[in-house]
Amino acid sequence: MYSFINDYSEGAHPAVLDLLIKSNLEQNAGYGEDIHTSKAKEYIYKLIFNDKADIHFIPGGTQTNLLVISSFLRPHQCVIAADTGHINVHETGAIEATGHKVIAMPCKDGKLTPAIIQAALDYHTDEHMVQPKMVYLSDTTEVGTIYTKAELSAIHHICKLNGLILFLDGARMGSAMTCQENDLELKDIAELVDVFYIGGTKNGALLGEVLVICKEELKEDFRYLIKQRGALMAKGFVLGIQFEALFCDNLYFELGAHANEMAEKIAGVLKELGYSFLAPTGTNQIFPILTNETIEKLEKEFVFSIQKKMDETHSAVRFVTSWATKAESVKALCDFFRGV
Ligand SMILES: Cc1ncc(COP(=O)(O)O)c(C=O)c1O
């Protein structure tokens, strides 16, 4: 069976494993104070053109989200997110469990806009309600769309006007930064948001995310907060080594581009055959709308998930490609559709 179920089914890119093996018998300092973590940071500083940012390596995405949100909000404050946002639908109430409400706003194509953020602000008027203090975005979004520079700048602007912390979840930053429509670079993101993370788990690392805190006021004592949430790993060098391998050259971006290219091939064939999609495509997740009959046949040969029931006879399915997706799997899927 060929699997298009997610982008974290495979282990790590060989270059990541090579560096882990090469450094295996080294005796490294603990808790991220090793030379590999420092090197990884140096590479990332160059990409974001900001060596004043604080960089931390965190094992997982949900952990990063709850760490950031719970650390930067005061007890009465909440975070605004798209209704489809990962923190709203796929984190088992992790944010709410830290005492902060997620204000989930209905959105088109998984994207917040200044108007939507304003609507959330207008609705929260006084101390009888939670106070919006943060905006959570993800790039790519949960439905595979991306933010343009103009869109992110507009969101930056409304956040600044209203004293909101802007947090961007980049679990799929590799795919976002390398898709054709993208006009953002990491340095733009570092300028426009207060805090963001660059995902490794879904782009060639065994696991791990790089958290970048750009806003000065948010930096204080963050290592204490990481430790208190159980996310400061004694063997932090295992994360540092992986990101050193991913960022010492262009590998991180090459892997994202590969995942996108594989998804584009599938999307291209589906478009040619007249299928429609739940959301515009371009990154490594695509959501074609298929008949129940096609889905049943497809399930015999491929692994994928159902995203949304559209009506009694149709559902949008989700195909995800990764840094490791092989051209032969893509060909098999395309051949299936050509034969339907
Ligand atoms: C946008 C986004 N953020 C965060 C996560 C959470 O990552 P993890 O499963 O490592 O906690 C995911 C995982 O799918 C994700 O897609």
Side-chain angles (χ1 to χ4, degrees):
M1 292 270 251
Y2 293 106
S3 177
F4 292 93
I5 193 80
N6 60 45
D7 38 14
Y8 44 88
S9 297
E10 300 92 358
H13 186 271
V16 171
L17 292 182
D18 279 352
L19 199 56
L20 283 166
I21 291 167
K22 243 189 231 157
S23 55
N24 194 34
L25 292 179
E26 279 174 12
Q27 293 185 306
N28 278 297
Y31 298 102
E33 298 195 293
D34 60 284
I35 49 164
H36 296 285
T37 300
S38 300
K39 274 196 202 162
K41 284 185 188 177
E42 285 309 315
Y43 295 133
I44 294 160
Y45 283 135
K46 285 203 178 114
L47 285 169
I48 63 173
F49 284 71
N50 175 358
D51 59 6
K52 301 279 179 300
D54 273 4
I55 295 178
H56 303 280
F57 296 85
I58 314 289
T62 302
Q63 201 171 29
T64 309
N65 286 338
L66 82 86
L67 186 55
V68 165
I69 296 169
S70 67
S71 300
F72 299 152
L73 295 186
R74 294 185 63 206
H76 59 292
Q77 294 176 333
C78 65
V79 53
I80 301 169
D83 54 357
T84 47
H86 204 267
I87 58 168
N88 187 46
V89 286
H90 287 132
E91 298 190 0
T92 327
I95 307 307
E96 289 86 344
T98 66
H100 300 283
K101 196 166 173 173
V102 176
I103 305 299
M105 300 299 288
C107 286
K108 189 170 176 283
D109 298 335
K111 284 157 70 167
L112 283 176
T113 62
I116 296 172
I117 294 167
Q118 189 60 55
L121 293 174
D122 292 347
Y123 187 70
H124 292 83
T125 48
D126 57 42
E127 68 276 17
H128 298 280
M129 301 173 131
V130 287
Q131 181 187 62
K133 187 63 188 176
M134 182 183 278
V135 168
Y136 164 93
L137 311 174
S138 64
D139 196 28
T140 68
T141 68
E142 280 307 289
V143 291
T145 49
I146 58 161
Y147 286 90
T148 63
K149 195 168 174 176
E151 288 167 340
L152 191 63
S153 302
I155 292 175
H156 161 87
H157 185 65
I158 188 172
C159 287
K160 209 154 184 214
L161 272 181
N162 293 281
L164 300 169
I165 299 165
L166 181 53
F167 170 34
L168 189 145
D169 168 340
R172 293 199 171 83
M173 188 77 92
S175 172
M177 290 295 101
T178 55
C179 82
Q180 276 179 22
E181 299 75 23
N182 177 57
D183 62 354
L184 280 166
E185 291 179 41
L186 283 182
K187 69 173 166 52
D188 303 317
I189 291 177
E191 263 175 31
L192 293 171
V193 312
D194 298 309
V195 50
F196 70 102
Y197 77 86
I198 307 169
T201 303
K202 298 176 173 73
N203 198 39
L206 282 173
L207 79 169
E209 323 293 320
V210 185
L211 179 65
V212 183
I213 306 178
C214 308
K215 193 183 169 98
E216 194 55 43
E217 300 87 297
L218 302 179
K219 294 176 184 171
E220 193 181 347
D221 293 341
F222 203 73
R223 275 174 65 83
Y224 287 82
L225 295 160
I226 300 175
K227 177 71 183 183
Q228 200 174 53
R229 293 271 178 210
L232 194 65
M233 310 310 284
K235 287 191 177 178
F237 57 84
V238 173
L239 298 174
I241 291 167
Q242 295 181 74
F243 285 102
E244 181 186 354
L246 288 171
F247 285 112
C248 74
D249 52 25
N250 210 31
L251 182 62
Y252 184 81
F253 300 100
E254 285 166 16
L255 299 184
H258 172 83
N260 291 345
E261 197 191 316
M262 296 294 105
E264 260 165 44
K265 282 198 175 137
I266 301 166
V269 169
L270 288 167
K271 280 180 196 158
E272 195 185 294
L273 295 169
Y275 287 92
S276 55
F277 295 79
L278 181 66
T281 56
T283 63
N284 74 324
Q285 301 181 84
I286 58 174
F287 301 87
I289 298 168
L290 309 178
T291 63
N292 297 344
E293 202 188 335
T294 304
I295 294 173
E296 232 173 79
K297 281 191 205 157
L298 198 60
E299 280 169 338
K300 297 199 171 85
E301 290 177 56
F302 300 92
V303 185
F304 56 95
S305 56
I306 310 272
Q307 180 79 4
K308 188 177 176 185
K309 186 173 168 180
M310 305 302 289
D311 59 34
E312 283 316 307
T313 53
H314 294 81
S315 286
V317 303
R318 175 181 182 250
F319 295 132
V320 189
T321 53
S322 84
W323 61 272
T325 300
K326 293 195 177 97
E328 99 191 33
S329 318
V330 169
K331 182 175 180 306
L333 187 58
C334 293
D335 288 348
F336 171 91
F337 282 108
R338 286 204 174 98
V340 171

